[in-house]
Amino acid sequence: MTDTIAVSTAARRHPLLWPLLATLMIIGWSSGFVGIRYANQQTSVMLLLFWRTLISGLILLPFALTIGPRISLRAIRDQALFGVMAVFIYLGGFALAIEQRVPTGLVALIADLLPLAIVALSQPVLGETLSAKQWLGTLIAVIGVLIVSFDSLAVGTAPLWAYGLTVVSMLVFAVASVLHRKRRATSMPVHQGLCIHSLTGSVLFGICAWTQGTLAPPMTREFLIGMMWLVLIATFLAYAVYYTSLRLFPVAKVSAAIYLSPPVTMLWAWMLFSEPLTVAMFVGLGVTLVGVWMTSRN
């Protein structure tokens, strides 16, 4: 309890800490599209996710074993459960839905409504209540996301269960986020937890990829660039900053920053792949910024 109070006090003493963490998290969260765009040219999504999580876990393993408290079997079990929820079900569920021809725009929209689900769970589970202005900010942020995503929305012809899978994947990650926040005082250091999450995901993704064919990666320049991007930015930066922020700030405040992922993703696409920018994107970005600012205020 003393450590938790000290961390919260430190966060209040540094007013620029949250803007810095939020910026890094948005960059990492939105950059997953870039890595997948590079790496998914010649391989299945499950094979891509297998190598992403395996490389991430192996890089973190020596640090997890030598830096921090000794890892007990009980801690491994608990963190492996978070890995199943926050890595395998969340990433794998959306990937499988896309492979089943659920339109990418619809998948992205459901994924970007994650903060709304987290806010809904944070009050009964954590007792973190939002003010009327924060609820209004949440509504405004959702409207901004809808504006950004509107042009890419389509219904598609995928099986009904695939649409439900996207919703379930999003809700499972919301539950994992709330539980992670609830247990922040007794949880292990971020690098140890992320290592276990990644290795757990690699085992499950490896089984899925193996049933589809081979585990051998395509040794192409695009795959290597995409994998480096996914490991360093979309995994290490995004997840590490996200879990760190959950220990320092209310979960609704942390998750609200994710609303900015859609417009920032479109900026990535414009800068790296010359995809066009639209007026709706800028309007949605402005609306979302207002909503996130209102929701994040103390």
Side-chain angles (χ1 to χ4, degrees), residues 48-58 87-88 91 194-195 197-203 205-206 227 231 235:
L48 185 154
L49 292 174
F50 163 67
W51 282 105
R52 170 184 174 176
T53 52
L54 179 62
I55 294 173
S56 300
L58 291 179
V87 176
F88 179 69
L91 297 178
L194 186 55
C195 176
H197 298 178
S198 298
L199 291 178
T200 301
S202 70
V203 172
F205 286 131
M227 195 53 56
V231 171
T235 299

Side-chain angles (χ1 to χ4, degrees), residues 261-286:
S261 290
V264 175
T265 297
M266 292 184 180
L267 289 175
W268 279 118
W270 170 69
M271 290 188 295
L272 298 176
F273 307 113
S274 300
E275 294 190 4
L277 298 177
T278 64
V279 175
M281 191 277 284
F282 288 104
V283 173
L285 174 59

Side-chain angles (χ1 to χ4, degrees), residues 245-259:
S245 299
L246 285 178
R247 299 186 181 195
L248 298 176
F249 302 99
V251 65
K253 180 174 183 174
V254 174
S255 63
I258 299 175
Y259 285 126

Side-chain angles (χ1 to χ4, degrees), residues 197-216:
H197 298 178
S198 298
L199 291 178
T200 301
S202 70
V203 172
L204 299 174
F205 286 131
I207 294 173
C208 295
W210 180 71
T211 60
Q212 295 178 348
T214 179
L215 295 180

